[in-house]
Amino acid sequence: MMAIIFLLTTFTTAAQKQNDSFLLARTSARLAMLAYSLGEDRFGSAKLGYLDTSVLLKITDSSKQLYHVQLSKSHKAYINKSDIRIDTSTTDRPFYLTSSFSVKGDELYDYVNISLDEKLPYKSWMEVNPAKIFLEVYGVQSNTNWITQLRSVKEIKEVYFNQTEDDVVKVTIELKHKQHWGYSVYYNKNKLCVRIRRRPSTLKVNKLLIAVDAGHGGSNDGAVGVTGKGLEKTYTLRFANELEKYLKKKGAAVFMTRTSDTTIDNIDRVLMLQDAMPDVLISLHFNSSTNADVKGASTYYKHIGFRSLSTAILNRLLQLDVSEFGNIGSYNYTLNAPTDFPNTLVEAAFLSDAEDEKKIVNPRFQKAVAKKIYKGIKDWLKSVKE
């Protein structure tokens, strides 16, 4: 309770009357990020996931830039103060209920709709072999007596739920194909919706929309080369341009998050990409280390359902004259966080290593990396045809 006095003296009298141990609030940002803990690295706290707007939360404490929120009796999280607003008009209920589920499809997506009394917090994650999506809804009790599933679904195999704790409902969505193609979680009034992307009808690069993200830009220089001349923002754009050129040559549609030396916040990039809804996202960066001997290529993913894309691209990059730095999972980077589309972060070499930097500034290497990323995407598509 280290900062509850601060909370009670800062907020309005109306808010204080709601409850002696918590204040009600609602998410106000389109990407309100929940964190697991107060721990931090250069990417901030480890991300539990994002919430839609107007989700009801119980604030129980405060620390620096974060609020401590109670999701359920045994689950807590942390959220940026700038991502919420205090709600003095809502009165907390003794319990909230789920009601009916509906499972259906339209021309583009499959949907799971869960009716609730209130916009409550949630967490989702993927599992593989077989492919499943899990959704935990917090602070709720089940009063669901039927799940209606229509034949219009094409990617969903089964949907069922369990009351795993007194106030936690866990929903399981089994998929028909082994590869995750992405999903989005949001509220439509008081219905919690999981919109699931279907496998493309043709698994060929020239039938996909591929997003290419050139990291950094504008006021964000990124890493500096060992010679002091090369800026990461400059070379991510050069590599992105080469990748765009090569993908278009092969018939793919390409969406670029930036095409010039422009400052774009990572959250804005995610929002931009969620509007564009590419089939695949490739984010390009270059690595750096205080140890000048560290070098090599690496790829990164957060969600296990997207690991296969990252490994396929790394395997192709290692055919170049580069060392292996590795394939890194559960990566706490903003552009790896979306579940909406398969994505990977690619770091082809280290700017802080003299040998790697020579490769990065070489136009032939820039072209070679573009070709290897393309071939990696092709390999991945071939491997996920089941």
Side-chain angles (χ1 to χ4, degrees):
M1 302 296 288
M2 59 181 173
I4 198 67
I5 294 175
F6 167 78
L7 285 174
L8 294 175
T9 55
T10 301
F11 300 138
T12 67
T13 302
Q16 294 173 35
K17 290 180 180 179
Q18 294 181 72
N19 193 290
D20 291 336
S21 60
F22 64 82
L23 301 173
L24 292 180
R26 292 190 183 272
T27 53
S28 55
R30 186 171 160 188
L31 286 178
M33 189 271 288
L34 287 178
Y36 281 109
S37 70
L38 291 174
E40 290 188 3
D41 59 19
R42 63 195 179 94
F43 293 134
S45 302
K47 297 176 179 66
L48 182 152
Y50 292 110
L51 296 178
D52 198 0
T53 54
S54 296
V55 173
L56 188 66
L57 295 171
K58 294 180 180 179
I59 301 173
T60 59
D61 212 335
S62 174
S63 177
K64 295 183 180 178
Q65 302 302 312
L66 302 176
Y67 283 132
H68 179 169
V69 294
Q70 199 71 36
L71 304 176
S72 67
K73 291 177 183 176
S74 59
H75 293 264
K76 63 182 181 181
Y78 300 85
I79 192 166
N80 289 323
K81 294 179 179 179
S82 59
D83 286 346
I84 67 172
R85 59 177 174 80
I86 303 305
D87 184 351
T88 61
S89 62
T90 299
T91 301
D92 189 41
R93 302 183 191 177
F95 57 87
Y96 298 92
L97 297 174
T98 69
S99 56
S100 62
F101 288 24
S102 69
V103 183
K104 60 184 179 179
D106 61 16
E107 295 82 3
L108 297 175
Y109 302 98
D110 286 356
Y111 301 86
V112 177
N113 297 309
I114 304 167
S115 296
L116 300 170
D117 288 341
E118 177 58 85
K119 293 183 177 179
L120 300 172
Y122 53 85
K123 178 179 78 170
S124 70
W125 67 96
M126 305 174 192
E127 286 194 4
V128 295
N129 301 319
K132 297 179 181 181
I133 299 168
F134 291 101
L135 178 73
E136 279 187 341
V137 187
Y138 298 110
V140 72
Q141 297 172 14
S142 174
N143 191 36
T144 298
N145 294 307
W146 60 82
I147 299 175
T148 302
Q149 182 162 325
L150 302 183
R151 292 182 297 173
S152 53
V153 296
K154 295 182 179 180
E155 185 57 41
I156 294 173
K157 181 180 179 182
E158 302 284 355
V159 177
Y160 47 93
F161 74 92
N162 287 287
Q163 183 90 47
T164 55
E165 300 174 34
D166 289 345
D167 56 352
V168 178
V169 169
K170 181 179 179 180
V171 181
T172 302
I173 305 169
E174 295 185 2
L175 304 180
K176 292 181 179 179
H177 298 103
K178 72 175 185 178
Q179 176 59 48
H180 287 268
W181 287 94
Y183 65 90
S184 307
V185 184
Y186 58 91
Y187 274 100
N188 180 5
K189 297 182 179 177
N190 279 8
K191 285 186 178 180
L192 183 57
C193 305
V194 184
R195 186 183 68 187
I196 298 165
R197 300 190 71 171
R198 297 169 179 161
R199 187 176 78 168
S201 57
T202 304
L203 294 177
K204 294 184 178 180
V205 179
N206 64 358
K207 298 298 182 180
L208 302 183
L209 172 61
I210 300 176
V212 178
D213 171 60
H216 304 282
S219 61
N220 186 346
D221 292 339
V224 180
V226 67
T227 62
K229 297 179 181 178
L231 296 178
E232 185 178 3
K233 69 172 185 177
T234 301
Y235 290 101
T236 57
L237 186 56
R238 290 184 186 179
F239 277 74
N241 288 337
E242 288 295 340
L243 180 56
E244 178 193 27
K245 188 187 306 180
Y246 196 77
L247 289 171
K248 285 184 173 179
K249 178 182 175 182
K250 294 298 182 178
V254 180
F255 176 84
M256 301 283 282
T257 58
R258 72 178 180 97
T259 56
S260 61
D261 187 18
T262 307
T263 304
I264 307 176
D265 180 83
N266 281 337
I267 291 293
D268 290 334
R269 294 178 198 236
V270 172
L271 294 173
M272 182 193 309
L273 289 161
Q274 287 179 331
D275 288 338
M277 288 300 284
D279 296 295
V280 176
L281 164 65
I282 308 296
S283 183
L284 299 173
H285 284 248
F286 294 100
N287 231 324
S288 183
S289 173
T290 54
N291 183 345
D293 295 327
V294 176
K295 58 185 177 181
S298 51
T299 54
Y300 303 75
Y301 68 95
K302 177 175 175 62
H303 306 291
I304 189 65
F306 302 153
R307 181 176 186 266
S308 55
L309 171 64
S310 67
T311 55
I313 291 174
L314 180 61
N315 289 339
R316 282 294 185 173
L317 289 176
L318 294 177
Q319 294 176 350
L320 301 172
D321 183 23
V322 291
S323 303
E324 179 182 1
F325 187 68
N327 178 241
I328 294 89
S330 298
Y331 199 57
N332 192 31
Y333 174 55
T334 302
L335 268 73
N336 286 130
T339 59
D340 309 82
F341 33 77
N343 60 76
T344 185
L345 167 63
V346 177
E347 307 218 25
F350 274 73
L351 274 166
S352 55
D353 175 79
E355 292 183 8
D356 271 11
E357 187 190 30
K358 288 179 182 178
K359 295 182 178 73
I360 291 169
V361 301
N362 189 329
R364 286 180 294 180
F365 184 72
Q366 296 165 18
K367 289 179 170 61
V369 167
K371 292 179 182 179
K372 293 301 182 185
I373 292 175
Y374 164 77
K375 289 183 177 180
I377 297 172
K378 280 190 66 177
D379 293 343
W380 171 67
L381 291 172
K382 185 178 179 180
S383 73
V384 301
K385 285 187 176 180
E386 294 180 13

